C-alpha cells in the first residue's frame, strides 16, 4: 500500500496559514540557539496539532549572556502540578562511547523545576548505567537561578494547549485526522492486495492429459507459456478464470470516502471546492474553521508574551515586551 500523508500536509498547511504574516515583535524576542520567530512558533503550533500540548521554558543562557525562550515538545513535559509548583522536563542527549569514539550513546535526563518554600529551584537527574539496567541519580546540588541576585518566586514555564495556557491535557488537534489517515493506509493495502491477487487469470483444465500408454502416467507439473504444448485427451476442455465482481470498486470507493473525510477533518485546507456555495455558507464554514486557528494562536501569543516578560526581567529591560501574531487567516 501507499501511505498518503495527509496529516503531515495538513500540518504544514495550517502552520503556513497561521504564519502567513510575520508576528510583530521587538528585540526582546530571544530564543535558544537563535531560533527565528517563525521557527519557534512553528515548533509550538506543531506541538498543538500533533501532540495537544507544548511549552516554553525561559532560562538564562550563559554563552549568549541573555535569557532565552526554549520551545518544549509536549511529549517531554512528563510531570507537573496544576498549582504551578512542579514541572518535570525530559531531555535527550548523547555521550561518546568509551570504547569507540565513533559511536554515540543516547541517554536521558530529567530537569525538575520546582518551588522550594516559594523559591524557584532546578534539579537535574541523569541516567546512570547501561541500556538494560539503569537508574536516575541527582546531578549536583539543586540550583537556584536568580535575577540580579534575587531568586524567582515562580517557575518560568508556560503551558500551551489548543485552547488556553493551563496545564489541562487535550487530544491533539489533528488526532481524528491521523486516525483516518492510518485507516486510509490499511484500505490502500487491501486494495493493492486485491488488485495483485486478481490481476493474473487462473488457467483451468477439465479432463485428462493424453498418456503415452501407461495408464498410471501423469505429468508431474504443468508449464504455462507460448512455448509449451499440452497434449490433452479427447473431450478435454481448458480455459481461464478471470476476475469479475465489484470488490475492487467497493474498496476503491471506501478509499475515496476516507480521503474526503480527511480533507473535511483537516479544516478543508487541502480540498478543492467545486460546488458553488452561498456567501452565508462560506461565512459559517470559514468562522468554524478559523475558530480553532484563532484559539491556538491566542494560546501561543499569551504564552510567548508571558515568557518575554520574564526574558526582559532577567535581562534588566524595563519596557513592556511587544509581541503580536496575525489573526488574518
Amino acid at each position: 500500500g501507499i501511505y498518503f500523508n495527509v496529516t503531515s500536509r495538513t500540518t504544514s498547511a495550517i502552520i503556513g496559514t497561521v504564519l502567513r504574516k510575520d508576528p510583530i515583535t521587538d528585540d526582546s524576542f530571544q530564543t535558544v540557539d537563535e531560533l527565528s520567530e517563525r521557527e519557534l512558533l512553528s515548533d509550538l503550533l506543531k506541538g498543538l496539532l500533533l501532540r495537544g500540548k507544548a511549552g516554553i521554558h525561559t532560562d538564562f543562557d550563559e554563552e549568549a549572556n541573555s535569557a532565552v525562550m526554549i520551545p518544549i515538545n509536549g511529549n517531554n513535559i512528563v510531570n507537573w502540578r496544576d498549582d504551578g509548583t512542579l514541572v518535570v522536563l525530559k531531555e535527550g542527549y548523547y555521550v561518546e562511547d568509551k570504547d569507540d569514539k565513533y559511536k554515540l550513546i543516547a541517554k536521558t535526563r530529567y530537569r525538575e523545576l520546582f518551588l522550594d518554600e516559594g523559591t524557584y529551584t532546578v534539579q537535574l537527574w541523569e541516567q546512570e548505567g547501561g541500556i538494560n539496567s539503569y537508574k536516575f541519580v541527582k546531578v549536583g546540588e539543586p540550583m537556584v537561578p536568580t535575577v540580579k541576585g534575587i531568586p524567582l518566586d515562580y517557575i518560568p514555564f508556560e503551558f500551551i494547549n489548543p485552547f488556553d495556557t493551563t496545564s489541562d491535557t487535550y487530544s491533539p488537534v489533528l488526532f481524528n485526522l491521523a486516525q483516518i489517515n492510518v485507516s486510509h493506509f490499511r484500505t490502500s493495502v487491501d486494495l493493492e492486495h486485491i488488485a495483485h491477487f486478481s490481476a493474473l487469470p487462473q488457467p483451468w483444465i477439465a479432463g485428462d492429459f493424453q498418456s503415452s500408454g501407461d495408464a498410471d502416467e501423469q505429468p508431474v507439473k504443468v508449464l504455462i507459456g507460448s512455448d509449451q504444448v499440452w497434449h490433452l485427451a479427447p473431450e478435454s476442455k481448458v480455459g481461464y478464470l478471470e476476475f469479475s465482481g465489484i470488490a475492487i470498486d467497493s474498496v476503491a470507493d471506501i478509499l475515496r470516502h476516507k480521503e474526503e473525510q480527511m480533507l473535511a477533518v483537516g479544516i478543508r485546507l487541502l480540498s478543492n471546492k467545486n460546488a458553488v456555495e452561498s456567501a452565508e455558507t462560506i461565512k459559517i464554514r470559514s468562522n468554524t474553521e478559523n475558530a480553532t486557528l484563532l484559539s491556538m494562536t491566542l494560546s501561543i501569543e499569551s504564552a510567548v508574551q508571558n515568557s518575554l516578560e520574564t526574558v526582559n526581567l532577567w535581562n534588566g529591560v524595563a519596557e513592556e515586551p511587544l509581541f503580536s501574531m496575525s489573526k488574518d487567516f
Side-chain angles (χ1 to χ4, degrees):
I2 298 174
Y3 181 64
F4 179 37
N5 200 343
V6 175
T7 304
S8 176
R9 294 179 60 186
T10 304
T11 300
S12 299
I14 293 176
I15 292 175
T17 300
V18 175
L19 301 181
R20 187 172 67 88
K21 294 183 178 180
D22 292 332
I24 300 173
T25 185
D26 55 19
D27 293 337
S28 64
F29 201 97
Q30 301 292 326
T31 60
V32 69
D33 299 330
E34 298 183 348
L35 293 175
S36 67
E37 293 94 334
R38 188 177 185 87
E39 289 171 331
L40 178 96
L41 298 176
S42 294
D43 282 349
L44 299 177
L45 282 167
K46 189 177 295 184
L48 300 185
L49 293 170
L50 302 180
R51 302 178 187 92
K53 186 186 290 288
I56 302 176
H57 178 212
T58 305
D59 200 3
F60 194 84
D61 188 337
E62 298 290 348
E63 293 184 4
N65 193 31
S66 170
V68 295
M69 295 183 294
I70 307 170
I72 303 298
N73 184 316
N75 291 344
N76 291 334
I77 308 173
V78 296
N79 201 356
W80 65 89
R81 288 182 185 157
D82 292 334
D83 60 5
T85 60
L86 173 71
V87 178
V88 180
L89 306 177
K90 180 181 178 182
E91 301 175 351
Y93 66 104
Y94 292 92
V95 296
E96 188 176 296
D97 192 330
K98 296 179 180 179
D99 301 323
D100 186 352
K101 69 176 182 179
Y102 300 105
K103 183 179 179 182
L104 295 176
I105 301 175
K107 289 200 171 187
T108 300
R109 67 169 164 244
Y110 291 94
R111 187 175 299 270
E112 181 185 9
L113 317 176
F114 62 98
L115 294 182
D116 183 9
E117 297 182 354
T119 299
Y120 171 49
T121 309
V122 180
Q123 176 67 65
L124 289 180
W125 298 75
E126 287 193 353
Q127 178 180 331
E128 185 180 81
I131 297 178
N132 298 322
S133 177
Y134 62 87
K135 61 180 179 179
F136 288 93
V137 296
K138 289 184 179 181
V139 179
E141 296 298 321
M143 298 171 287
V144 179
T146 60
V147 179
K148 295 183 179 180
I150 302 175
L152 296 173
D153 59 0
Y154 63 93
I155 297 176
F157 184 87
E158 292 291 325
F159 286 94
I160 310 173
N161 66 53
F163 305 103
D164 50 47
T165 56
T166 66
S167 57
D168 295 341
T169 298
Y170 297 92
S171 296
V173 173
L174 296 183
F175 179 69
N176 291 335
L177 173 61
Q179 285 185 309
I180 301 174
N181 211 162
V182 172
S183 178
H184 178 272
F185 171 67
R186 295 191 184 117
T187 304
S188 170
V189 173
D190 291 340
L191 183 60
E192 293 288 347
H193 176 68
I194 293 174
H196 174 73
F197 190 80
S198 59
L200 300 178
Q202 169 68 43
W204 59 269
I205 301 172
D208 296 325
F209 282 85
Q210 181 68 52
S211 66
S212 58
D214 188 347
D216 297 328
E217 182 181 352
Q218 292 292 335
V220 176
K221 63 174 65 175
V222 178
L223 301 179
I224 300 175
S226 59
D227 59 345
Q228 303 296 325
V229 177
W230 289 354
H231 190 195
L232 300 175
E235 309 300 325
S236 296
K237 296 180 180 180
V238 296
Y240 276 102
L241 296 175
E242 294 188 88
F243 171 80
S244 64
I246 60 174
I248 291 182
D249 291 340
S250 297
V251 176
D253 288 341
I254 295 173
L255 203 65
R256 284 190 291 270
H257 177 64
K258 291 180 180 179
E259 290 171 1
E260 293 172 359
Q261 285 182 310
M262 287 192 291
L263 295 177
V265 175
I267 321 179
R268 299 178 183 270
L269 292 177
L270 302 180
S271 65
N272 296 316
K273 301 296 292 182
N274 296 322
V276 177
E277 294 181 316
S278 67
E280 186 64 23
T281 300
I282 294 175
K283 181 179 179 181
I284 293 173
R285 181 167 59 81
S286 178
N287 289 341
T288 302
E289 295 164 359
N290 289 345
T292 303
L293 302 186
L294 180 61
S295 176
M296 290 192 300
T297 300
L298 292 175
S299 297
I300 292 175
E301 187 179 72
S302 176
V304 171
Q305 182 72 25
N306 293 339
S307 298
L308 288 177
E309 291 178 2
T310 301
V311 168
N312 278 2
L313 175 66
W314 227 318
N315 292 337
V317 179
E319 289 81 6
E320 190 76 16
L322 173 63
F323 180 76
S324 176
M325 295 177 64
S326 171
K327 315 302 186 300
D328 181 10
F329 306 132

